[in-house]
């Protein structure tokens, strides 16, 4: 095998490991919500893991800064909520989980994810 | 009413003097206390007393001085969405046009077979670079705009793949153009691939444009429902009629509705008669005649007479608002079948990137010469062909169209889970009273025993039942009232659910109930068995009256079967569904009704609290069971079935225990709901199959697995064409559900 092929192979394998580590091994930012929290929608959800109390209403304020149409809707399927997020407008979504656990949310096409963790 | 502040939209203003003219004319109008006109925003903010001046009057004042005024309606979420979507579609259309035009010019100037016919200027690589630059960074700007923040969050999506794929093609081509000698030096012919990068961007944007247009149609049901609402209501106050926006109608307001007008909110008819078309809300196609005392539903159409009604539910409590809320919630819920797609899409993009990298390595290491070019083009093809969007759209779009189709037909589906389970229903259990029958029983026979007169039997029975709320009790009391009996005072009244009632009249213990109640008190009714059996064989419910342990008489009650019941049962049978009827009635009466409807499986003499257990017994056979009831008395049974189907009672639709609510009260809708679920699930399965099959089959093809066997490779331009079509086809397939014609 020529030197260039060895280099390409090593770089390719290295890049594959990097992609795996970069996208699949990351841990999302976790924040505790006190009655309400602002979530910036830009290339994902920031913060993306929101801790909320069980049995208490928490307001999630979604503010979309990203014009990508993929993020134009947010879906909280456990609460039966699918909401359109107009650009640069605060959209209030109230959740009141009755049981402890994880309630995932995502964009309309299910490409970007976040979750509400009730405890 | 106090002053209110509203905004008018003004058209036709040119200068400051126009502003002054309009402000002056508004301020001079009686009832207006303040008016401010803004030339830039073309709006007038007016503070006025709605009792003294109406919107129409304000608009006519403005038009009298030569301008046009309209009441500004507050922008709803739907309006904002529509506006944003319209803008997005416009931009997309423009970008597709620019991208395709420039892409085709480059294609003309570079593709073998066409190149000879092209003008020389198009064959110039530097000209191609300029054109491709415009497409890459202006037309394709959004791909980068979405990719950069996503990468900051260590996430990736469709746009990341497109940005990566086209960037690889573009930057390689740019390098070849600027430094051809470098590429030539390593033995590669210096050929740019600007046609690939530009046409991919244009085609993917074209796919996105078509998809956005199709997606708009999947969500138009809610807009249609909201559009049903009347805008204003004519309220009668102090002998005067005032038009007010619908949001200002309060409970208790008296509203006048004229022929051809929409009823603004829910209420009870006070005066007048009319025929009302409720089809838009309940799906019931025949107009219903209504008179004083009847309920009227907001957003339905008054066909003939003028009437007054008292508002009983306004704002978010009206039937229409409840329906909108329920459809919205169902559309936001997730079908269990989607779980697998969710799992796949969470790993999809990074995995595709890794496959693309490995494709490059394998082609570079083992591919034929020029291996670099093969490696490059196949890597681009893998990045471009992968389509996670189709997987993400497969289920929700079908659920949205399916639930909307249901709502259109008076079938409200609570969530995607109920919609999914409904397609597996093999057994439907009907509650008898109020579901298969009208729920308004009537007394058919009163028989005195042991020399007691019929009058005496009816007097005692109806007096005793006055304290009960059971539907059979209501029938006996109604009969007593009809016959003008002298109701007597009851003491120590007691209801034993599933048996009957007891109490004391003038110191005597009076019992009224079924055989089991008599047996419990040691009263022998066997002597009259033949008479009783005859009545029960006619489907009548028989109750015994006993006073101080002596039988006094028999009262037979019959509840008429609904006209739609028999047809509904036949439809379900045609769908291959097993039917059960469940009732507290005695076996003979229940069997008689079962026979008349063609129901073979009759569960009779089931106490209310046993219904749940009976459902569980049927479920234990591994069958998916739906229970159809009124949602109130049989809530536990509805909740324990796999899908509870409730016949809506009047203006309440949100029933906790029911997965499906039939607002049209038509029993035939049970079959329709099951058919709708089957069709929606078929669409979802087709979509998911297509989305998975597409990616599983075409990603390896793009990577070049067919090359060693057939010498086949996928040109990245064809990859982008396939990708553009894949999500459009999924959304379009979901939209086909709109056209579904039910077999009945």
């Amino acid at each position: 095998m020529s030197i260039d092929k060895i280099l390409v192979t090593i770089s390719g394998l290295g890049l594959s490991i990097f992609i795996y580590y970069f996208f699949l091994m990351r841990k999302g930012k976790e924040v505790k919500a006190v009655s309400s929290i602002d979530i910036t929608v830009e290339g994902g959800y920031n913060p993306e893991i929101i801790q909320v109390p069980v049995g208490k209403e928490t307001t999630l304020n979604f503010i979309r800064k990203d014009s990508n149409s993929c993020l134009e809707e947010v879906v909280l399927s456990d609460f039966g909520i699918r909401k359109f997020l107009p650009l640069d407008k605060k959209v209030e979504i109230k959740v009141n989980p009755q049981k402890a656990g994880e309630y995932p949310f995502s964009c309309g096409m299910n490409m970007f994810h976040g979750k509400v963790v009730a405890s | 009413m106090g002053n209110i502040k509203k905004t008018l939209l003004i058209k036709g203003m040119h200068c400051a003097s126009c502003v002054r003219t309009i402000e002056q004319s508004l301020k001079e109008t009686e009832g207006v206390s303040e008016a401010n006109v803004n030339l830039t925003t073309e709006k007038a903010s007016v503070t006025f007393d709605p009792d003294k001046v109406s919107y129409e009057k304000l608009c006519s004042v403005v038009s009298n001085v030569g301008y046009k005024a309209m009441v500004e309606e507050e922008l709803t979420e739907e309006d904002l969405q529509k506006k944003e979507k319209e803008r997005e579609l416009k931009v997309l259309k423009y970008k597709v046009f620019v991208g395709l035009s420039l892409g085709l010019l480059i294609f003309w100037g570079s593709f073998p077979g066409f190149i000879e016919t092209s003008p020389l200027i198009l064959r110039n690589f530097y000209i191609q670079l300029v054109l491709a630059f415009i497409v890459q960074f202006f037309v394709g700007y959004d791909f980068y705009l979405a990719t950069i923040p996503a990468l900051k969050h260590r996430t990736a999506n469709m746009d990341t793949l497109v940005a990566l794929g086209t960037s690889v093609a573009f930057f390689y081509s740019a390098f070849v153009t600027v430094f051809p000698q470098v590429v030539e030096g390593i033995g590669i012919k210096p050929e740019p691939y600007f046609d690939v990068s530009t046409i991919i961007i244009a085609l993917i944007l074209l796919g996105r444009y078509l998809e956005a247009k199709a997606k708009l149609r999947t969500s138009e049901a809610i807009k249609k429902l909201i559009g049903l609402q009347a805008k204003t209501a004519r309220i009668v106050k102090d002998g005067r009629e005032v038009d007010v926006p619908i949001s200002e109608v309060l409970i208790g307001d008296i509203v006048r509705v004229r022929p051809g007008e929409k009823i603004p909110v829910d209420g009870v008819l006070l005066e007048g008669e009319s025929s009302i078309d409720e089809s838009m809300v309940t799906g019931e196609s025949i107009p219903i005649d209504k008179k004083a005392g009847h309920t009227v539903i907001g957003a339905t159409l008054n066909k003939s007479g003028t009437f007054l009604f008292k508002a009983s539910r306004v704002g978010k409590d009206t039937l229409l608002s409840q329906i909108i809320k329920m459809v919205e919630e169902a559309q936001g819920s997730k079908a269990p079948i989607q779980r697998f797609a969710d799992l796949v899409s969470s790993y999809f993009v990074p995995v595709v990137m890794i496959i693309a990298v490995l494709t490059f390595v394998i082609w570079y290491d083992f591919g034929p010469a020029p291996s670099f070019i093969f490696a490059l083009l196949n890597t681009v093809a893998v990045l471009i062909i992968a389509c996670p969007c189709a997987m993400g759209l497969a289920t929700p779009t079908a659920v949205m169209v399916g639930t909307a189709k249901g709502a259109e037909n008076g079938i409200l589906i609570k969530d995607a889970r109920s919609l999914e389970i409904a397609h597996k229903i093999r057994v439907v259990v009907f509650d008898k009273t109020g579901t298969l029958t009208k729920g308004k029983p009537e007394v058919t026979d009163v028989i005195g025993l042991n020399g007691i007169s019929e009058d005496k039997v009816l007097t005692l029975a109806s007096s005793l039942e006055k304290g009960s709320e059971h539907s059979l009790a209501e029938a006996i009391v109604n009969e007593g009232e009809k016959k003008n009996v002298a109701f007597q005072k009851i003491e120590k009244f007691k209801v034993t659910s599933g048996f009957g009632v007891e109490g004391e009249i003038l110191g005597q213990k009076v019992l009224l109930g079924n055989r089991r109640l008599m047996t419990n008190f040691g009263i022998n009714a066997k002597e009259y068995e033949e008479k009783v059996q005859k009545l029960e064989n006619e489907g009548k419910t028989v109750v015994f009256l006993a006073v101080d342990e002596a039988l006094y008489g028999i009262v037979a009650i019959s509840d008429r079967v609904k006209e739609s019941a028999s047809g509904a049962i036949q439809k379900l049978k045609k769908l291959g569904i097993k039917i059960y009827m469940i009732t507290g009635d005695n076996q003979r009466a229940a069997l008689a009704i079962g026979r008349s409807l063609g129901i073979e499986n009759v569960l009779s003499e089931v106490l209310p609290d046993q219904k749940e257990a009976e459902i569980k017994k049927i479920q234990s056979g591994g069958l998916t069971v739906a229970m159809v009831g009124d949602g109130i008395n049989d809530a536990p049974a509805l909740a324990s079935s796999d899908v509870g189907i409730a016949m809506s009672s009047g203006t309440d639709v949100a029933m906790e225990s029911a997965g499906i609510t039939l607002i049209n009260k038509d029993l035939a809708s049970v079959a329709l709901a099951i058919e709708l679920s089957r069709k929606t699930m078929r669409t979802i399965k087709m979509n998911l199959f297509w989305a998975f099959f597409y990616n599983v089959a075409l990603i390896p093809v793009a990577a070049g697995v067919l090359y060693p066997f057939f010498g086949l490779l996928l040109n990245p331009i064809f990859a982008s064409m396939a990708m553009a079509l894949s999500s459009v086809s999924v959304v379009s397939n979901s939209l086909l559900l709109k056209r579904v014609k039910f077999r009945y």
Side-chain angles (χ1 to χ4, degrees), chain A residues 4 9 22 64 72 83 110, chain B residues 77 84 154 342 364-365:
Chain A
D4 60 323
T9 309
F22 186 78
R64 177 159 77 103
E72 71 187 14
K83 271 252 182 219
N110 201 26
Chain B
E77 189 189 320
E84 206 164 290
R154 293 173 66 177
D342 282 1
Y364 190 83
D365 288 354

Side-chain angles (χ1 to χ4, degrees), chain A residues 109, chain B residues 92 96 100 143 158 162 198-214 381 383-390 393 690 694-695 698 714-732:
Chain A
M109 288 188 200
Chain B
L92 263 176
V96 168
L100 268 183
F143 295 118
M158 243 319 285
V162 178
T198 48
I199 292 188
I200 287 173
I201 287 178
L203 284 180
I204 289 176
L205 286 180
L206 175 67
R208 199 163 278 191
Y209 172 76
L210 296 174
E211 177 197 311
K213 277 198 101 164
L383 289 172
I384 296 303
I385 202 149
C387 185
C389 292
L393 292 168
W690 167 246
Y694 167 87
N695 283 300
L698 290 187
L714 189 68
N715 184 316
I717 291 180
F718 288 116
S720 68
M721 220 180 268
M723 145 76 204
L725 283 175
S726 71
S727 40
V728 178
S729 58
V730 163
V731 181
S732 306

Side-chain angles (χ1 to χ4, degrees), chain A residues 83-94:
Chain A
K83 271 252 182 219
F84 178 73
L85 305 175
L87 209 54
D88 296 319
K89 278 217 158 61
K90 193 187 266 191
V91 174
E92 284 185 6
I93 292 179
K94 293 185 194 308

Side-chain angles (χ1 to χ4, degrees), chain B residues 685-738:
Chain B
K685 284 176 184 167
M686 267 164 76
N687 283 352
L688 284 174
F689 173 78
W690 167 246
F692 280 107
F693 171 80
Y694 167 87
N695 283 300
V696 169
L698 290 187
I699 292 177
V701 172
V705 289
L706 295 182
Y707 188 79
F709 311 104
F710 308 104
L712 271 180
L713 279 178
L714 189 68
N715 184 316
I717 291 180
F718 288 116
S720 68
M721 220 180 268
M723 145 76 204
L725 283 175
S726 71
S727 40
V728 178
S729 58
V730 163
V731 181
S732 306
N733 191 36
S734 295
L735 282 174
L736 285 181
L737 268 176
K738 276 192 177 191

Side-chain angles (χ1 to χ4, degrees), chain A:
Chain A
M1 199 181 250
S2 59
I3 186 78
D4 60 323
K5 285 185 179 172
I6 293 170
L7 273 177
V8 164
T9 309
I10 292 170
S11 318
L13 290 176
L15 190 56
S16 299
I17 293 165
F18 173 74
I19 293 170
Y20 179 82
Y21 164 80
F22 186 78
F23 292 112
L24 298 175
M25 297 297 286
R26 93 203 154 85
K27 212 173 172 300
K29 193 177 164 193
E30 196 166 338
V31 170
K32 204 168 190 170
V34 188
S35 78
S36 86
I37 188 160
D38 287 355
I39 301 168
T40 310
V41 184
E42 193 176 20
Y45 301 99
N46 188 21
E48 64 177 284
I49 303 171
I50 296 113
Q51 283 185 1
V52 302
V54 174
K56 250 178 114 180
E57 191 173 82
T58 307
T59 308
L60 311 176
N61 299 314
F62 285 88
I63 308 143
R64 177 159 77 103
K65 303 261 180 214
D66 194 329
S67 61
N68 179 9
S69 61
C70 202
L71 285 160
E72 71 187 14
E73 271 182 330
V74 64
V75 183
L76 291 92
S77 55
D78 295 309
F79 304 98
I81 296 169
R82 174 182 286 272
K83 271 252 182 219
F84 178 73
L85 305 175
L87 209 54
D88 296 319
K89 278 217 158 61
K90 193 187 266 191
V91 174
E92 284 185 6
I93 292 179
K94 293 185 194 308
V95 292
N96 190 352
Q98 297 301 310
K99 272 191 217 156
E102 291 187 353
Y103 300 87
F105 59 85
S106 68
C107 68
M109 288 188 200
N110 201 26
M111 293 305 306
F112 295 100
H113 303 94
K115 63 186 169 198
V116 171
V117 180
S119 54

Side-chain angles (χ1 to χ4, degrees), chain B residues 326 412-415 417-418 421 612 615 619 625-649 652-662:
Chain B
M326 201 153 160
L412 288 185
I413 299 157
K414 190 175 158 193
D415 49 25
R417 190 185 154 273
S418 307
I421 298 175
E612 196 183 337
I615 298 282
Q619 283 171 323
V625 180
M627 163 87 196
V628 188
D630 61 11
I632 302 159
N633 299 323
D634 39 27
L638 283 183
S640 69
S641 68
D642 296 289
V643 187
I645 301 178
M647 310 292 289
S648 157
S649 60
D652 250 326
V653 294
M655 290 185 200
E656 212 39 56
S657 50
I660 296 174
T661 305
L662 307 177

Side-chain angles (χ1 to χ4, degrees), chain B residues 171-188:
Chain B
F171 284 111
Y172 170 74
S173 306
F175 186 81
V176 166
T177 306
V178 182
F179 308 106
Q181 64 285 4
V182 178
V183 184
E184 220 163 3
I186 54 169
I188 298 170

